[in-house]
Amino acid sequence: MSRLFTTRPGDDGLPGPERRLAVLALILGTLMAVVDVTMVNIALPSIARDLQVSDARAVWVTNLYQIVCAAFLLVCASFSEMVSRRRLYVAGLALFVLASLGAALSRSLEWLLVFRALQGLGAAATLSIGPSLYRSIFPTRLLGSALGLSALVVAGGYAAGPALGGLVLSVVSWPWLFALHLPLGIISLWLAWRALPREKGRRGGFDGRGALGSVVMLGSFFLAMDTLAHAAPLWQALAWLALSVVTGYLFLRRQRRASHPLLPPLLFRVARFRLAVSASGLAFVGQGLAFVALSFLYQQEMGFSPLHTAWLFTPWPLAIMLVGPIAGRLADRVNPSLMASVGLVLLMLGLASLALLPQDASIVDSLWRTALCGIGFGLFQPPNNRELMTSAPRELSTSASGVLSTTRTVGQSLGVALVGAFMAASAPVQATLWIGCLACLLALVASLARVTLAGAAQADNCDEDSQVQSSSKRVQ
């Protein structure tokens, strides 16, 4: 860990000692946004009972947060270029914290949903630019290690959320789940304002029509996926999906003409970037699908209780926490695409082994298969994220960060929706896990296609580092 804060001649990014506070600000902000989802899920029955609403309406406490967050990722990433990433990150954190206070004080579902939407907007502001801030804080030679640390934080948040939520609810009522964000948020705000890189916003306009198109396109897509996941009438899902497709077509046309596009076409002319985005989206389809499918498999097919099911999930995020930082560090030294491909193979094998899991399998049989999935995903994510961020031109790193966050969210939502669609068609839950294997296989094809390109790019970077170090030694 200490090597992340060492300084070498020719390093880009912040000086070593200044990175500590900056990365701590990012860690706290990410933890709050990630833990919030899984922690609040545990409280939905309590919220429904206390506010005297149905379970179906209470689910929107989670859904609205996720939909708003996903719909505004690209918009926030683009807007940060005008006002600077530091200012947007601080503003997003402040909005998230204030909305958390409002949610904690809400005594009706309507007001709670308003504040949950504002929380989602604040989370979008921080999550959309997080990866690009890592690229500004750390030198390129350490970017893989830094993104491995980010993967550890996200996995830790997902793992800790249910346990933290259950612990809090065993002592106090659900509003305290939102109140927990206040002390952490204040600390994170102070750190972000003091330590994040200071930069000037660019001059020029903001693509307002593109922003509106992006929000409608992504919002209607997630509503379509949510409709499918909850086995609502098919025409509703198709209507939302049609709106998303039409708006998406108009959005892409707008991006080719806009002077400051939200989604610069130049990004997707880079083959390494396109392939990294494709691999990321498909892998997250597999992960999102597996998380929901395994809940049904463990409880309905194998007869485990919800508490046992949560425990059986634990090896997945724990494995990412252990493997992710190691994979990120290795990705700074060896071909990241090759490492990501190995991870996808292990993830695919893990999903296949879960699909073949017999109903009378022991707990140990379930645990090692879930752990294999986590190891595979931990080996895949940091190297692939490094490849995605470094393949983009540095001046477009903020846009690349928004694409990364949006791709992750779209992939997970599509995976969840596929499970709902298969279950509505009375297909066995194991069939959805095979679909997850297929998604990972397609991701593997995309990952292998860029191995040579990634190796050449890494060799060029190593040559540049060697030249810089040689020059500094001659000067000394």
Side-chain angles (χ1 to χ4, degrees), residues 8 27 37 41 89 103 144 154 221-222 236 257 305 358 366 392 432:
R8 290 183 185 176
I27 287 174
V37 178
N41 280 342
Y89 193 90
V154 172
F221 173 81
F222 288 108
Q236 292 184 14
R257 299 194 305 267
S305 68
S366 301
T432 61

Side-chain angles (χ1 to χ4, degrees), residues 270-273 275-276 334-341 387 391 444-461:
V270 182
R272 288 168 56 207
F273 183 84
L275 293 168
V334 301
N335 190 320
S337 295
L338 193 58
M339 285 194 60
S341 300
E387 178 69 0
S391 63
L444 178 62
V445 172
S447 186
L448 290 173
R450 42 82 192 262
V451 168
T452 303
L453 296 173
Q458 191 166 49
D460 290 341
N461 290 333

Side-chain angles (χ1 to χ4, degrees), residues 214-371:
S214 172
V215 170
V216 175
M217 172 186 68
L218 292 171
S220 55
F221 173 81
F222 288 108
L223 285 169
M225 296 302 101
D226 181 74
T227 302
L228 278 176
H230 290 88
L234 183 60
W235 68 266
Q236 292 184 14
L238 292 177
W240 285 118
L241 194 58
L243 177 61
S244 179
V245 171
V246 172
T247 312
Y249 171 74
L250 296 174
F251 170 75
L252 293 177
R253 283 189 60 184
R254 169 68 185 173
Q255 296 311 288
R256 289 194 289 267
R257 299 194 305 267
S259 56
H260 298 289
L262 267 72
L263 197 62
L266 179 61
L267 268 179
F268 291 90
R269 294 174 190 166
V270 182
R272 288 168 56 207
F273 183 84
R274 291 197 308 270
L275 293 168
V277 169
S278 301
S280 180
L282 289 165
F284 274 105
V285 168
Q287 188 202 51
L289 181 151
F291 275 23
V292 178
L294 289 178
S295 294
F296 287 100
L297 178 66
Y298 288 146
Q299 294 183 56
Q300 294 186 359
E301 302 289 332
M302 302 178 67
F304 288 109
S305 68
L307 181 61
H308 282 122
T309 298
W311 184 62
L312 289 171
F313 268 115
T314 304
W316 191 312
L318 285 182
I320 296 176
M321 291 174 64
L322 293 173
V323 174
I326 299 172
R329 183 170 181 174
L330 290 175
D332 290 325
R333 301 178 181 180
V334 301
N335 190 320
S337 295
L338 193 58
M339 285 194 60
S341 300
V342 172
L344 287 169
V345 170
L346 294 179
L347 175 59
M348 188 166 52
L349 291 175
L351 290 176
S353 67
L354 286 167
L356 296 171
L357 189 67
Q359 291 186 6
D360 58 350
S362 66
I363 290 179
V364 174
D365 276 341
S366 301
L367 290 176
W368 75 258
R369 295 164 201 249
T370 311

Side-chain angles (χ1 to χ4, degrees), residues 12 131-132 134-136 138-147 267 270-274 276-277 328 331-332 334-337 382-398 400-401 404 450 453-459 461 464:
D12 49 343
S132 69
Y134 275 101
R135 189 174 183 182
S136 295
F138 292 94
T140 304
R141 67 181 178 86
L142 295 174
L143 186 58
S145 299
L147 292 175
L267 268 179
V270 182
R272 288 168 56 207
F273 183 84
R274 291 197 308 270
V277 169
D332 290 325
V334 301
N335 190 320
S337 295
N384 190 73
N385 287 355
R386 184 191 192 280
E387 178 69 0
L388 189 152
M389 291 302 301
T390 56
S391 63
R394 183 170 286 275
E395 64 272 15
L396 296 179
S397 60
T398 302
S401 177
L404 189 156
R450 42 82 192 262
L453 296 173
Q458 191 166 49
N461 290 333
E464 291 176 5

